[in-house]
Amino acid sequence: MGKIYVLKEPRRGDRAWNIYALREAARLKKWFQGVYYSPRLKRLLAVFKPTPGTHVNLEVFEEMNEGVLKDAFRMECPRGCNKCCVFRSGAFILENELRELPSNVAEKIMKQPSELIRTPGGWVRVYRLDTEPMGRCIFFDVEKGECTLEALGGKRFKPIVCLLTYCTVFATRNGEKYLKTGFRVLSDGRVEMHYKRVSDDEWNIMVRRMASTWLRYRKVYKSLKEAESRTSL
Ligand code: SF4
Ligand code: SF4
C-alpha cells in the first residue's frame, strides 16, 4: 500500500486558512483521487496521490497509508443532478487555478467580481462564479445540464472547491452503489454517516429526485429565452 495525502479538515470560521488550504490543494489537482468517507475514522477524506518527490505542504495535508481507504465509501456526483451548480452554487475559483485554463476562459473569469484575501501563505485573489440568477454558476450550461469547464478540459479544469464539495448522498464501494440513510454528529464533532446498498433503479430514482431543482430552473430559463427571442423579432 502506498502513501496518500489527505487535506486537513477546514477550520470553522477561518476563511483565510481555508482559502490557503484550497490554494495548496489546487496545486496538486492533477493527483486528486476523490473524496471518501471512512467509517473507521468517521470523517471525509479528500485524497491526493502525487508522484513521489512532489512537494506537499504538510501544514494543510496529512500523510496516511492508502490502507485507510479499504473500507471507505467514495463520494459520487452522478450526472443529471446539477443541484450544486444551478441554485446558490457559491462557486468560486482561485487565481492560481486560472493558469491551467485557456486564455479566453481565464479572461472571462477575470471580469468576475473578486476579492483579495490575506492568507497565511500570502494574498490570494478569489473570483466569484455564482453571479447568474439565483446563484447559478457562470459555467453551468442549463440546457445540457453540464459543467462547461469539465466539458472543455475534464476535471482538472474545474475549481478545486467543486472537486472537493459533495452532498454525500451518493457513494460507491467495491463497485456497488450506496445512498446515505442518515448521519449523527458525535460529541467530538466527527460525523457518523450511514449508507445503504441500493439497486441501479433506487439510485436513479434518487438522482431524478435531486434533479428537480435543475429541471424546474431549466423550465423557467427556457420560457424566458423563448419570450426574449419573440420580443426581439
Ligand atoms: S447535490 Fe450531490 S449529486 Fe447533486 S450536484 Fe451536488 S454533489 Fe452532485
Ligand atoms: S464550475 Fe462547474 S462544477 Fe463548479 S459550480 Fe460551476 S458548473 Fe458546477
Side-chain angles (χ1 to χ4, degrees), residues 77-78 81-84 166-167 170 210:
C77 176
C81 170
N82 301 319
K83 199 174 177 176
C84 293
Y166 281 89
C167 60
F170 301 93
M210 301 277 285

Side-chain angles (χ1 to χ4, degrees), residues 82 84-86 89-93 129 136-141 146-150 157-159 161-163:
N82 301 319
C84 293
C85 309
V86 79
S89 71
F92 61 85
I93 193 163
L129 303 179
R136 168 168 54 97
C137 173
I138 62 167
F139 289 117
F140 182 63
D141 183 323
E146 70 179 18
C147 169
T148 52
L149 289 180
E150 186 170 356
F157 274 20
K158 282 172 81 163
V161 70
C162 300
L163 293 178

Side-chain angles (χ1 to χ4, degrees), residues 32-37 44-47 73-75 163-164 166:
F32 176 61
Q33 302 288 301
V35 174
Y36 294 80
Y37 173 68
L44 286 165
L45 307 171
V47 176
F73 295 93
R74 184 187 160 90
M75 299 297 107
L163 293 178
L164 299 180
Y166 281 89

Side-chain angles (χ1 to χ4, degrees), residues 36-152:
Y36 294 80
Y37 173 68
S38 163
R40 249 182 306 151
L41 302 177
K42 296 191 176 24
R43 62 173 274 204
L44 286 165
L45 307 171
V47 176
F48 295 76
K49 195 175 177 190
T51 47
T54 307
H55 171 71
V56 178
N57 180 345
L58 292 176
E59 266 191 299
V60 302
F61 281 100
E62 52 193 300
E63 193 182 299
M64 289 188 188
N65 187 290
E66 213 169 354
V68 77
L69 300 180
K70 220 169 148 204
D71 63 344
F73 295 93
R74 184 187 160 90
M75 299 297 107
E76 303 289 351
C77 176
R79 192 172 163 83
C81 170
N82 301 319
K83 199 174 177 176
C84 293
C85 309
V86 79
F87 181 63
R88 293 186 189 158
S89 71
F92 61 85
I93 193 163
L94 309 179
E95 61 185 348
N96 66 324
E97 299 186 84
L98 268 51
R99 283 182 225 127
E100 296 289 317
L101 300 173
S103 56
N104 61 325
V105 178
E107 277 161 24
K108 177 175 172 165
I109 294 171
M110 284 190 281
K111 290 184 189 138
Q112 285 293 109
S114 69
E115 191 184 351
L116 255 183
I117 297 183
R118 186 179 197 160
T119 76
W123 293 94
V124 179
R125 187 169 288 281
V126 179
Y127 294 92
R128 280 184 61 191
L129 303 179
D130 63 340
T131 50
E132 291 294 341
M134 297 175 83
R136 168 168 54 97
C137 173
I138 62 167
F139 289 117
F140 182 63
D141 183 323
V142 180
E143 301 208 18
K144 289 188 188 158
E146 70 179 18
C147 169
T148 52
L149 289 180
E150 186 170 356
L152 195 64

